[in-house]
Amino acid sequence: MTFDNLNLHDKILKAIADVGYTEPTPIQAKAIPLVLQGKDVLAGAQTGTGKTAGFTLPMLELMMKKDIKKGRHQVRSLILTPTRELAAQVGDDIATYSKYLPYTTAVVFGGVGINPQITKIKKGVDILVATPGRLLDLVGQGKLDLLRVEFFVLDEADRMLDMGFIHDIKKVLTILPPHRQNLLFSATFSDDIKTLADRLLNNPTLIEVAKRNQSADNISQVVYPVDKGRKKELLSHLIRQENWHQVLVFTRTKHGANKLVKELEKDGINSVAIHGNKSQTARTKALADFKARTISVLVATDIAARGIDIDQLPHVVNYELPNISEDYVHRIGRTGRAGNSGEAISLVCVDELDYLKSIEKLIKKPIKKIYEDGFDIDPTIKAQPIQNGRGGGQKRGGGGNRGRNQNRTQNNFGGGNISSRGQRGGGNQRGTANSSRGANRGR
Ligand code: AMP
């Protein structure tokens, strides 16, 4: 299939050609015709599948078709995202796809001054991308009118619920006009998502591109069992030895992210942290530097990392496993985007074995274990309960096995899937069995 088969306007096709897309991704091939028919859609699509263009291209087409009053800008399309980064990314994508069209797009989120956003809205906006809190602020202050919204997208809805936005979403729904087209995108489908979908969507069509809760096939996943106290050392070692120049590293907490950056810097590895306590300016700069490869390691918490979209990001490291298994899928989805291959590496200590088990259950396969030479596990170290450190009233379910994994030893990493150096390979793109690390990792 090509984009030409999808009944999109020449100006949209030209913009797509400019960015070099030759054929629609599976989610685009499924979503675009349905959206063009005016249907509400419930889409199960993981991050990196091309879902943004999946809703934006038909949205633009419909806006053009219904465009009667030329030159009058009012918010007709509203896209709600959980994080500032994702909002900014979606805004950039929309600007790219609509560059030959007469529509203005604005992106509004908290953590930055509201006045420039008000000024922009006053000038007239056709497409608004927003995070829920700031959107409600603007409406509450009487600066924003949503009465003309025809097209509403709830992006990464599962993450919205995880972040505790359900009340804000409900409020937004009460201020939107009743007749509109709605799309809901989510990587996972919990009961809460289904309830939200029932409330939001009108006789929706369900589309799914990757099987639920399964991680993308083009991502090679490995676990390095390691003692907690040696994780930093192993990370530095891998970064150096494997010559990684662009690696996104996840920690569970903001404090953990800051601490790791300091330690990597001591080792002479250029790194920066990105998390909710950083100013928006600092986050934007960190991301730009990482994209430009002036820093090689970006250390992020789960929430901050949403919306990070870097073409061909080769490596994602779970410095600590997430306590929510679905977060693992989100995390590793930052690599292997749009068909590129990627590598997800998890450094797992004995405390995290239950998290690992839950993740393997969710993705329905064991993850290959690699024991790195010189990083033998100390079997006398007993598992300690993990302090989550996230706090703050977020609704986080699952994975709640903290503290039950006492008295584990390295044997618990076992299970028929263990490799030592030089015996990797088999079913992933890390190289063939018995090839040496240097030979098979020299990418
Ligand atoms: P998304 O899932 O929307 O975050 O998109 C993931 C990445 O895929 C982004 O970098 C897009 O620029 C890219 N992308 C979207 N659609 C296509 C396509 N049809 N062909 C190639 N790349 C695409």
Side-chain angles (χ1 to χ4, degrees):
M1 178 184 285
T2 67
F3 281 105
D4 294 340
N5 306 125
L6 289 171
N7 293 324
L8 296 168
H9 194 280
D10 283 350
K11 289 183 176 175
I12 299 176
L13 293 176
K14 188 163 174 342
I16 297 169
D18 286 356
V19 276
Y21 303 167
T22 48
E23 56 183 54
T25 64
I27 189 77
Q28 291 161 5
K30 285 187 182 176
I32 292 171
L34 289 169
V35 178
L36 288 177
Q37 286 167 37
K39 294 222 157 81
D40 277 15
V41 172
L42 173 60
Q46 298 189 351
T47 188
T49 51
K51 64 189 167 65
T52 314
F55 64 75
T56 303
L57 303 179
M59 171 188 93
L60 293 171
E61 178 73 30
L62 292 175
M63 287 176 74
M64 288 179 80
K65 284 217 172 94
K66 293 186 201 160
D67 203 1
I68 308 149
K69 297 187 182 100
K70 281 219 169 78
R72 196 163 151 211
H73 300 289
Q74 45 199 5
V75 179
R76 295 166 57 194
S77 294
L78 174 66
I79 295 104
L80 219 50
T81 74
T83 65
R84 310 158 187 184
E85 279 78 15
L86 183 61
Q89 181 63 49
V90 169
D92 286 350
D93 285 355
I94 294 174
T96 301
Y97 305 137
S98 65
K99 70 179 192 185
Y100 298 114
L101 304 178
Y103 303 128
T104 49
T105 301
V107 180
V108 298
F109 47 69
V112 293
I114 199 167
N115 288 331
Q117 297 174 354
I118 293 173
T119 308
K120 178 131 197 202
I121 289 165
K122 266 192 195 151
K123 285 187 190 150
V125 166
D126 305 280
I127 302 164
L128 186 66
V129 187
T131 53
R134 181 54 60 93
L135 181 82
L136 289 170
D137 252 11
L138 286 160
V139 174
Q141 290 186 29
K143 306 295 181 193
L144 179 62
D145 173 2
L146 296 178
L147 292 173
R148 305 268 179 266
V149 171
E150 302 158 2
F151 195 87
F152 176 59
V153 181
L154 202 56
D155 198 10
E156 302 203 347
D158 47 351
R159 179 56 46 147
M160 294 245 192
L161 298 190
D162 281 351
M163 292 175 71
F165 283 140
I166 186 66
H167 298 296
D168 284 351
I169 295 171
K170 284 181 182 166
K171 259 189 231 159
V172 172
L173 295 185
T174 62
I175 50 180
L176 293 179
H179 297 293
R180 50 171 208 269
Q181 188 175 359
N182 303 289
L183 312 184
L184 187 153
F185 284 80
S186 185
T188 51
F189 286 110
S190 62
D191 288 345
D192 287 344
I193 289 288
K194 286 179 200 142
T195 309
L196 178 63
D198 284 346
R199 191 184 187 109
L200 170 68
L201 305 171
N202 192 3
N203 196 15
T205 307
L206 171 72
I207 53 175
E208 270 186 291
V209 287
K211 274 206 166 166
R212 269 181 221 181
N213 299 341
Q214 284 191 352
S215 37
D217 288 340
N218 55 335
I219 302 170
S220 126
Q221 301 172 56
V222 291
V223 159
Y224 281 84
V226 60
D227 292 334
K228 188 174 172 186
R230 297 194 67 196
K231 281 192 177 186
K232 195 271 309 175
E233 202 187 326
L234 177 57
L235 179 60
S236 290
H237 165 82
L238 290 173
I239 290 171
R240 287 234 169 76
Q241 178 172 272
E242 310 296 326
N243 215 359
W244 290 340
H245 291 298
Q246 202 181 34
V247 49
L248 176 62
V249 177
F250 284 93
T251 58
R252 268 193 297 270
T253 64
K254 299 169 196 170
H255 173 67
N258 288 339
K259 205 169 142 214
L260 180 59
V261 163
K262 276 196 195 129
E263 291 180 338
L264 288 173
E265 289 285 331
K266 268 191 223 152
D267 280 355
I269 295 170
N270 249 344
S271 53
V272 72
I274 183 168
H275 55 63
N277 284 2
K278 298 264 176 181
S279 70
Q280 189 54 40
T281 320
R283 287 159 69 153
T284 307
K285 181 170 183 329
L287 201 52
D289 288 349
F290 185 58
K291 282 188 181 180
R293 297 187 174 215
T294 48
I295 51 163
S296 42
V297 181
L298 186 65
V299 184
T301 55
D302 289 286
I303 286 168
R306 297 297 283 189
I308 293 179
D309 176 26
I310 298 157
D311 282 341
Q312 299 176 21
L313 177 61
H315 309 287
V316 166
V317 172
N318 293 303
Y319 187 74
E320 293 158 327
L321 285 183
N323 54 323
I324 311 296
S325 303
E326 281 83 3
D327 282 351
Y328 175 84
V329 178
H330 287 303
R331 285 180 177 189
I332 72 168
R334 317 321 299 178
T335 184
R337 310 198 98 187
N340 293 304
S341 64
E343 187 171 42
I345 297 107
S346 302
L347 310 188
V348 180
C349 71
V350 69
D351 302 350
E352 298 168 302
L353 286 175
D354 280 343
Y355 292 174
L356 179 61
K357 261 198 212 157
S358 304
I359 289 165
E360 291 181 329
K361 199 170 154 202
L362 179 76
I363 64 172
K364 297 192 179 75
K365 61 179 181 192
I367 305 173
K368 182 184 278 293
K369 319 290 181 301
I370 296 179
Y371 287 91
E372 184 68 6
D373 281 353
F375 287 87
D376 292 346
I377 302 279
D378 177 350
T380 64
I381 298 177
K382 304 294 179 217
Q384 300 293 320
I386 294 171
Q387 301 301 320
N388 185 6
R390 230 169 184 154
Q394 289 178 6
K395 189 179 164 299
R396 313 284 297 180
N401 291 333
R402 258 170 275 146
R404 283 207 275 122
N405 50 359
Q406 303 289 334
N407 301 321
R408 292 281 173 83
T409 69
Q410 82 180 81
N411 294 334
N412 295 84
F413 282 103
N417 197 35
I418 302 174
S419 300
S420 59
R421 268 186 59 181
Q423 290 184 323
R424 263 178 276 115
N428 64 37
Q429 65 269 52
R430 288 173 67 88
T432 52
N434 300 320
S435 57
S436 75
R437 171 177 294 275
N440 70 26
R441 304 292 305 277
R443 287 173 283 136

